[in-house]
Amino acid sequence: MHRFSTILLFFLIVNFKSYGQHGEDYINVGFDAGITLNDYYQAQFPAGFGASVKGLYGVGLSGQVSLTANYLYFPLDRSIVLPGGENLAFHHIPVFLGYRMNFDRFFLEPQVGGALFAMRYRFDQDRYTETSTGFAFAAEAGYVFDMVEVSLRYQHAGSSPHHLGLLGVRAAYKIPLGY
């Protein structure tokens, strides 16, 4: 019984100490916009927009682990004319795990993960979607204004020759998780 009490006391002390180093937890909901940087996508899908959700878990006084999911829609460039009834669009869905380093209101956040690429074709009444996945990474830098944050992100996904280089802008609203 003495051994059990010692182990229980140890875990309670460790648990109590860990609360002292716990940072702030948030869920961010944001609007994303981006431009493609490489020739393959820039010729057909130069710019896109979408939404994102990011969970931030405080692991210290100045750091947070992040899990980010984005959805970006890239319509076909208006200068490309398709026959009547046809349409083509590109959808990009990356998921990243990252670590945010907070410097007062400024932050840096390297991220790594994977991405889903979906080309959606529409011919009259028929629809066809071609999908693929690939490794992805990103580097994000931003600034926090109370409950709103804005950031600039470089993102790379997929393998050559059809990899996607993207420069993105994000504006998000922070929802604190108080428990």
Side-chain angles (χ1 to χ4, degrees):
M1 188 64 167
H2 180 63
R3 178 182 282 177
F4 176 75
S5 298
T6 305
I7 292 172
L8 182 62
L9 182 63
F10 173 75
F11 281 116
L12 287 174
I13 290 170
V14 169
N15 190 30
F16 178 73
K17 284 290 201 186
S18 67
Y19 283 118
Q21 295 296 315
H22 185 73
E24 298 174 342
D25 301 335
Y26 293 98
I27 290 181
N28 292 357
V29 179
F31 173 77
D32 291 20
I35 57 171
T36 56
L37 300 175
N38 54 329
D39 294 336
Y40 178 74
Y41 287 101
Q42 199 170 45
Q44 300 174 48
F45 309 103
F49 59 93
S52 62
V53 174
K54 180 181 291 201
L56 293 164
Y57 179 74
V59 292
L61 298 178
S62 64
Q64 295 168 308
V65 173
S66 66
L67 181 62
T68 307
N70 295 52
Y71 169 76
L72 296 166
Y73 169 74
F74 293 86
L76 187 63
D77 188 4
R78 291 184 182 182
S79 65
I80 299 174
V81 179
L82 296 176
E86 294 185 12
N87 192 2
L88 175 63
F90 172 62
H91 305 266
H92 180 61
I93 305 168
V95 176
F96 293 113
L97 181 64
Y99 182 76
R100 179 178 284 192
M101 296 167 279
N102 295 305
F103 305 100
D104 196 27
R105 292 190 173 271
F106 178 74
F107 66 86
L108 294 174
E109 186 176 344
Q111 303 167 337
V112 64
L116 173 70
F117 301 91
M119 275 301 183
R120 174 165 253 176
Y121 304 94
R122 186 183 64 183
F123 304 103
D124 292 326
Q125 300 299 322
D126 297 327
R127 293 175 189 256
Y128 174 75
T129 302
E130 184 179 301
T131 62
S132 64
T133 59
F135 173 75
F137 63 89
E140 188 171 0
Y143 192 81
V144 179
F145 302 94
D146 294 323
M147 299 310 285
V148 175
E149 67 180 44
V150 293
S151 62
L152 185 64
R153 171 180 79 250
Y154 172 76
Q155 181 176 315
H156 186 96
S159 58
S160 290
H162 306 297
H163 63 275
L164 172 66
L166 175 75
L167 184 62
V169 176
R170 181 172 186 264
Y173 180 74
K174 294 173 30 175
I175 302 168
L177 298 176
Y179 38 78

